Amino acid sequence: GINFVVEKNVLLSITPLMYLGYRFFLSAVLMAIIFRNRLKNISKQDITGGLVIGIFMLLGFLTQTAGLVYTTPSKSGFITGSNVVMVPFFAYVLTKRFPSASQIVGAVVTFGGLGIISISNNLTIDYGDILTILCAICFALQITFTEYYVKEADPINMAVIQVALAGIVTMGMTIIQEPISLGFSLDIWAAILFGVVFCTAGAFIVQNIAQKYTSSTHTAVILCTESVFAGIFSFLLWQELLTLKTISGFILILAGVLITELTPSKTIHAKM
């Protein structure tokens, strides 16, 4: 959650593509060094799962980082967190388990909240908000397919593959489109390394391992709490003003999450 604010500050000095290029490429190098012995036993399932998940993760971060240029850290965090109500519907495609009534109600409430914070007074949606909504869809698919593949594949090898894919693509795009620079200030490098170690290498290794033992729905509800921390840190560190309209939207999003995930209900199984 705090990285929304850290990243927002970085994007005042460098482009989104360059930030992602350094973040994922350095993360991939770090993970490959640490887990080099494990990678010797990489399997076809590890590669397939890592590539599929990596594509959705890459698209998610590209749209999120670009969107963050045009929106605020807290709005980016809360909209990204809305992926929690999308996961059960995407999971249905793989599991044939139809979302429960509480999940459908939660989705409606959450998107109502998204509408409140994203639609301006002249009934237009900001460009940054649209990109971040696309980001939420990509992350929902990433979570769903992680659960699908991680049951049979090595979670750490999958994490290395997905991060390496993102690193190669983003760094390649950066080299093609922008002049590579290393002359950043210490603050910029500290922010990049924070993203490298804690928000990429550490986060995706932990997520992949955890999803061997829990469902994509539970994973999504835990991950959506980053949006709460994004709002808190944006207020404390970015001095973002929280209006009544914005707070109302946040409350609806959190209510939708709670309705979706915490209401006891029976899952409807579709006929195969």
Side-chain angles (χ1 to χ4, degrees):
I2 195 174
N3 200 49
F4 283 95
V5 180
V6 174
E7 190 175 316
K8 180 70 175 181
N9 287 323
V10 171
L11 295 178
L12 297 176
S13 303
I14 65 176
T15 65
L17 193 58
M18 185 173 293
Y19 167 76
L20 289 177
Y22 280 118
R23 174 179 170 178
F24 282 106
F25 186 79
L26 293 176
S27 293
V29 172
L30 176 64
M31 295 167 72
I33 293 174
I34 294 175
F35 299 107
R36 59 187 181 279
N37 291 329
R38 198 182 192 103
L39 289 171
K40 294 177 181 178
N41 298 318
I42 195 168
S43 67
K44 181 180 179 180
Q45 291 92 331
D46 299 343
I47 296 174
T48 301
L51 290 177
V52 172
I53 296 166
I55 289 173
F56 290 120
M57 183 189 73
L58 171 63
L59 293 174
F61 275 103
L62 286 174
T63 51
Q64 182 189 66
T65 306
L68 192 55
V69 175
Y70 305 100
T71 191
T72 63
S74 67
K75 285 181 72 175
S76 179
F78 272 88
I79 295 174
T80 300
S82 70
N83 68 71
V84 67
V85 294
M86 304 178 191
V87 169
F89 297 93
F90 289 137
Y92 167 70
V93 177
L94 296 178
T95 64
K96 302 305 179 183
R97 288 178 295 185
F98 194 76
S100 65
S102 64
Q103 292 171 334
I104 296 174
V105 172
V108 172
V109 173
T110 298
F111 281 101
L114 283 175
I116 289 177
I117 67 172
S118 301
I119 300 177
S120 60
N121 293 331
N122 59 357
L123 299 180
T124 60
I125 299 178
D126 294 336
Y127 178 63
D129 296 337
I130 294 175
L131 289 174
T132 311
I133 290 171
L134 293 175
C135 149
I137 294 172
C138 291
F139 282 141
L141 289 168
Q142 178 221 338
I143 293 171
T144 303
F145 277 98
T146 297
E147 180 188 17
Y148 178 77
Y149 283 108
V150 81
K151 303 303 182 184
E152 301 295 333
D154 184 304
I156 294 179
N157 285 346
M158 279 178 52
V160 175
I161 293 296
Q162 70 187 76
V163 172
L165 172 65
I168 293 171
V169 172
T170 53
M171 184 56 75
M173 293 172 65
T174 302
I175 293 173
I176 293 172
Q177 298 185 25
E178 305 174 23
I180 293 295
S181 174
L182 298 174
F184 304 134
S185 66
L186 182 60
D187 290 344
I188 297 298
W189 276 116
I192 292 174
L193 292 177
F194 178 79
V196 167
V197 177
F198 296 103
C199 307
T200 307
F204 288 111
I205 288 173
V206 171
Q207 179 186 341
N208 284 9
I209 293 175
Q211 283 202 246
K212 283 186 87 73
Y213 309 101
T214 189
S215 68
S216 57
T217 301
H218 289 165
T219 301
V221 72
I222 294 171
L223 290 179
C224 83
T225 60
E226 74 169 358
S227 63
V228 179
F229 293 112
I232 293 173
F233 287 117
S234 183
F235 173 74
L236 294 176
L237 303 178
W238 188 254
Q239 286 79 51
E240 179 184 348
L241 295 178
L242 298 179
T243 64
L244 179 61
K245 174 175 175 288
T246 303
I247 293 175
S248 299
F250 290 172
I251 292 173
L252 276 179
I253 291 175
L254 289 177
V257 169
L258 293 176
I259 291 171
T260 300
E261 305 302 338
L262 302 183
T263 303
S265 60
K266 294 182 179 181
T267 302
I268 300 173
H269 293 266
K271 295 181 178 180
M272 297 298 291

